[in-house]
Structure formats: C-alpha cells, structure tokens
C-alpha cells in the first residue's frame, strides 16, 4: 500500500465557519476512502510558523487571513485556498485554486428575508476595516449595492473591535446607534457574533426585537443561539460544501490535475428563521413592549403582573390591549412562548425531556406534557419522535389559541 499523503489544514478551529469547512473535508475523506495523514496546529496563531520547512504533500488553508495567503503563495506544492468571494477578481490569489463562500448571496438572502417581513428600512452592522476583515467589507458593499438599486438609504455601523476591557463602551455605542435609527428597521449583522452583540444592545437600549428592530446574522452558529435570549435568525453558509470541494480539488492536484485558476463560489444553504426577525407590524406600544419583555423572560417564570410593571400600566389595562390586538391574554402569550422554546429544543434528541421542561420555563415535566397534549395533540416525546422520523412539525404555535388556565 502507498503511504498516505501528508496534508496540512491551516484553519482557526475557534471559528464556527472554519469548523464547518473542516467538517466538509472530513466528509470527503470518509465518502471517498482517501487516506490522508492530516496536520493541524493546536494553536491557530502559529499555523504558518515554519510552514516553508514542512515536508508534506499539500495544503488546504483559510485565505481570509492575509498572512496565510502571503506565506503560502509560491510554495512548491499543491495548495487550495478557502475564503470569501470578491466582487473584484483581482483580489483572488494568483495561481492557486480558490473555493469561496458567496458573500453577495449571503447578504441577499438576509435582505430578501427582511423585505418579506414587510420592512422598508434597512441597516448593516459590520466590522472595522482590517486586512483580515476583507470579507466583512465585501458583505457591507453588497448590502449597500442592494439598497442603492432599490433607491433606499442603507445605514452602516461598524462599531469597534470587541474585548473584555472595552466591552462596556462598545455596547453603549451600539445601543446609541440602535436608539438613533428610524424604526421599524431590519438590520443585517455581518456574523452571528455581531448579531448577538446587537441583540444585547437592543436590550440595553430598551428597543423591542423584532417589533422595532428585526435582526439577521450570518453563520447559523449554535453557540450564538444558545447565548442569546431572543432566538437569532441566521443565514446558513455552505461551508461544509466548501470543505468537501476544497478536498476534492486537492485530491485531483495530488494526482496531476492542473487547477491553478479554478474559482468555485459556493452559495448559502438557506436561512434559519427564528424570533429575532419575525417582524409583525404593530401600532400598540403597550403590546409591543410587553412582547419584548416576554421574549426575554418568559422561560424564567414571569407572571402577568411583572409584564404589566415593565410596561408601566395596570394589569387590567394591559389585558385589554392584548385581547384587542392579539386576541390573547398575557398569560397565553407567555405560555405560547414557552411552547415555542420547548419545540425548538426537542429538535435535539440528546436533550433530556426534564431539561427541556426546566429550560422552557415549565414548572414541571408533567405540566409540559399537559400543555403539549392540549395544544399539539401529542406528548413531547411523540413530537420529538415525529421530528426524528421526518414527519415534520405541526403548524406553528403562533397560530394556536393556547388555552388560558390557572396553572403556574
């Protein structure tokens, strides 16, 4: 048997995008039974140190880092680049095959989704320009191009680099920007990490999401979802397909393929729509503020009186506004949010049902079972089994009446 090719993978595994690319590379190796001896630097900051002295057969690398690109150009062995797409072809490295995420289509998917929500104002929350953030500028320019075509003024805020020491100042700056925006407005964040910062700033600024600001991120990062009080809508990059494609190109090059000028741009896989962008035009300020509070704290066991205190009106008056605007009581709205949260969690079969109940705000597993039977006609376990079996979910609970009761 011939010795396996020694391949270096130069990626930052701390980034969800890079991890998905690496997953795609692994899927290619598994599906083709290719034997590669893989090298990955444990500390990504050292991934190019001594690479010129590395005695290997090929490299797949993240070229969004300009240092990586400068270091690898001219190496006498096959190299495949992975990174963001560019409107100007001159920005691609010469003589190296390149697999790119389609920055323009990522933004287009987010932009069209916000239009579908009935919004007519749009903004973009990006990153300060640095050599390693060229992809962020491409997304920003794509956004501005789309609003320009539609004869709209697209507002851009880049903020500052985030660090623990400067986070308080940075967050207040985002909150000030959020307060200054005309509303309602849809905002596209350049990444899920920036989208999460934006959601936090909206809470600080006391601006309801998505009633006044609808937010869409990019990456579909499960960590960002887990750490956000309001579930985040996010565009899903085709990063795994990028990794699979990059591995295929390198495989061909290792066997004599000449692919130096190959350029492959991979479109996004879709968009994961969650509460942060589900904008519903609403004129009633009391109901809008109440729903903002419910989205943040329903799973912590809040009561109707607490919602009324936050809004600044009596419980009786708030109930009247809810019945007039939503045909629901405040308690029903709280319960509906708990049910939505539980349904999202049941997608992951590894989460115990007792944990689902606690994290969704139900006072007991038995109470969650009772609500599921009453509202969805099945138990939580049956609902989860239906998801795993590909039967799909029942109609969205937004359309359910949600019976009011005196249960905790």
């Amino acid at each position: 048997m011939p010795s396996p090719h020694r391949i270096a993978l130069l990626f930052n595994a701390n980034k969800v995008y890079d991890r998905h690319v690496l997953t795609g590379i692994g899927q290619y190796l598994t599906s083709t039974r290719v034997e590669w001896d893989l090298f990955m630097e444990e500390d990504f900051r050292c991934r190019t140190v001594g690479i010129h002295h590395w005695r290997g057969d090929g490299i797949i690398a993240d070229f969004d880092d300009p240092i990586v690109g400068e270091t690898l150009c001219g190496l006498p062995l096959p190299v495949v680049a992975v990174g963001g797409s560019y409107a100007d072809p001159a920005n691609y490295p010469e003589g190296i095959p390149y697999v790119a995420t389609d920055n323009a289509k990522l933004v287009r998917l987010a932009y069209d989704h916000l239009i579908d929500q009935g919004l007519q104002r749009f903004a973009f929350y990006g990153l300060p320009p640095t050599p390693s953030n060229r992809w962020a500028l491409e997304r920003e320019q794509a956004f501005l191009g789309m609003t320009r075509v539609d004869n709209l003024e697209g507002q851009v805020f880049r903020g500052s680099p985030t660090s623990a020491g400067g986070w308080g100042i940075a967050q207040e700056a985002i909150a000030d920007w959020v307060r200054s925006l005309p509303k309602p407005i849809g905002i596209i964040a350049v990444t899920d990490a920036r989208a999460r910062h934006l959601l936090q700033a909206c809470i600080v600024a006391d601006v309801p999401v998505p009633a006044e600001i609808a937010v869409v991120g990019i990456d579909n990062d499960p960590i960002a979802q887990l750490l956000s009080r309001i579930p985040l809508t996010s565009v899903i990059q085709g990063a795994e397909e990028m990794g699979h494609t990059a591995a295929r190109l390198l495989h061909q090059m290792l066997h004599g393929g000449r692919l130096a000028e190959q350029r492959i741009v991979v479109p996004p896989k879709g968009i994961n729509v969650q509460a942060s962008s589900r904008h519903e035009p609403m004129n009633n300020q009391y109901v809008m503020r109440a729903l903002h509070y419910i989205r943040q704290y329903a799973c912590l066991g809040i009561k109707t009186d607490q919602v009324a205190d936050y809004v600044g009106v009596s419980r009786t008056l708030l109930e009247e506004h809810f019945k007039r605007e939503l045909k629901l009581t405040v308690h029903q709205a709280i319960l509906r949010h708990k049910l939505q949260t539980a349904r999202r969690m049941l997608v992951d079969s590894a989460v115990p049902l007792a944990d689902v109940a606690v994290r969704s705000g139900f006072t007991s597993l038995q109470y969650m079972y009772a609500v599921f039977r009453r509202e969805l006609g099945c138990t939580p376990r049956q609902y989860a089994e239906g998801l795993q079996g590909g039967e799909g979910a029942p109609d969205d609970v937004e359309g359910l009446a949600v019976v009011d009761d005196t249960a905790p």
Side-chain angles (χ1 to χ4, degrees):
M1 292 290 292
S3 299
H5 289 106
R6 291 189 297 172
I7 307 301
L9 305 179
L10 306 185
F11 289 88
N12 178 1
N14 290 333
K15 295 164 53 180
V16 63
Y17 160 77
D18 281 24
R19 290 197 301 272
H20 286 161
V21 172
L22 291 169
T23 298
I25 294 172
Q27 290 171 347
Y28 179 82
L29 300 182
T30 301
S31 63
T32 59
R33 298 184 180 178
V34 170
E35 289 289 338
W36 284 356
D37 181 9
L38 298 175
F39 166 78
M40 280 189 63
E41 177 57 62
E42 293 179 359
D43 186 345
F44 73 91
R45 293 168 296 183
C46 303
R47 59 183 182 262
T48 60
V49 175
I51 196 68
H52 287 93
H53 304 293
W54 182 67
R55 295 184 178 181
D57 300 299
I59 297 174
I60 304 176
D62 182 355
F63 268 52
D64 280 335
D65 183 342
I67 295 177
V68 172
E70 293 167 6
T71 303
L72 299 185
C73 285
L75 280 185
L77 74 164
V79 175
V80 176
V82 175
S85 64
Y86 295 99
D88 183 357
N91 288 325
Y92 291 105
E94 293 184 7
I96 295 178
Y98 194 101
V99 182
T101 184
D102 195 325
N103 284 319
K105 286 187 178 179
L106 292 173
V107 177
R108 169 57 69 182
L109 204 55
Y111 182 65
D112 287 348
H113 169 69
L114 291 172
I115 290 175
D116 290 342
Q117 303 307 301
L119 291 158
Q120 299 179 23
R121 302 184 187 95
F122 306 94
F124 187 87
Y125 177 37
L127 281 166
T130 67
S132 60
N133 289 343
R134 295 177 298 168
W135 53 271
L137 183 59
E138 289 289 321
R139 294 177 188 180
E140 177 186 311
Q141 292 302 316
F143 166 77
L144 291 173
M146 293 169 198
T147 54
R148 193 179 305 116
V149 168
D150 291 341
N151 294 316
L152 298 172
E153 180 184 358
Q155 303 206 37
V156 172
F157 181 72
R158 293 173 175 169
S160 58
T162 54
S163 64
W167 175 234
I169 296 174
Q171 186 180 62
E172 191 55 45
I174 305 169
D176 288 343
W177 177 61
V178 163
R179 294 186 189 100
S180 72
L181 291 170
K183 300 173 182 68
I185 191 168
I187 304 180
I188 301 171
V190 70
T191 64
D192 280 356
R194 298 297 263 190
R196 192 174 67 83
H197 297 163
L198 183 59
L199 291 176
Q200 290 175 306
C202 287
I203 292 172
V204 170
D206 200 23
V207 175
V209 175
E212 291 192 355
I213 289 184
V215 179
V216 179
I218 297 174
D219 277 335
N220 200 37
D221 183 356
I223 298 299
Q225 289 286 359
L226 187 63
L227 298 178
S228 299
R229 290 182 188 171
I230 299 174
L232 174 64
T233 294
S234 184
V235 179
I236 307 168
Q237 296 200 61
E240 291 185 11
E241 182 182 343
M242 292 170 65
H244 192 281
T245 302
R248 175 175 56 81
L249 294 180
L250 182 58
H251 189 193
Q252 293 174 357
M253 295 172 72
L254 292 170
H255 291 82
R258 297 181 179 274
L259 307 171
E261 299 305 321
Q262 187 87 19
R263 301 282 183 270
I264 298 176
V265 180
V266 178
K269 290 180 63 178
I271 185 167
N272 178 14
V273 178
Q274 297 292 337
S276 71
S277 67
R278 285 182 172 144
H279 174 71
E280 297 177 5
M282 191 173 296
N283 295 322
N284 192 306
Q285 296 296 312
Y286 297 129
V287 174
M288 184 168 60
R289 285 180 56 79
L291 291 177
H292 178 59
Y293 187 76
I294 288 170
R295 290 187 184 101
Q296 293 178 63
Y297 300 109
C299 297
L300 298 181
I302 58 171
K303 308 294 184 184
T304 300
D305 286 339
Q306 291 171 278
V307 181
D309 287 344
Y310 173 79
V311 175
V313 297
S314 70
R315 172 174 178 161
T316 301
L317 180 58
L318 185 61
E319 292 285 14
E320 290 177 1
H321 284 292
F322 261 68
K323 290 177 181 177
R324 188 182 309 119
E325 186 78 17
L326 301 178
K327 307 298 187 291
L328 293 173
T329 67
V330 178
H331 176 75
Q332 286 173 332
I334 294 171
L335 189 60
R336 185 172 69 176
H337 185 85
K338 292 178 180 179
L339 190 57
Q340 287 175 316
T341 303
R343 293 175 76 211
R344 283 195 300 271
M345 293 181 63
L346 288 170
V347 173
D348 184 355
S349 59
V351 181
L353 290 178
D355 287 356
V356 173
V358 171
R359 290 162 59 182
S360 327
F362 291 99
T363 52
S364 68
L365 181 58
Q366 292 76 12
Y367 181 39
M368 184 175 76
Y369 263 75
V371 172
F372 264 75
R373 286 195 187 98
R374 186 182 66 210
E375 305 299 341
L376 300 178
C378 63
T379 68
R381 189 175 299 280
Q382 290 168 338
Y383 180 86
E385 290 172 351
L387 292 175
Q388 299 305 316
E391 297 176 8
D395 291 339
D396 197 325
V397 291
E398 289 287 354
L400 295 175
V402 186
V403 177
D404 207 346
D405 54 31
T406 57

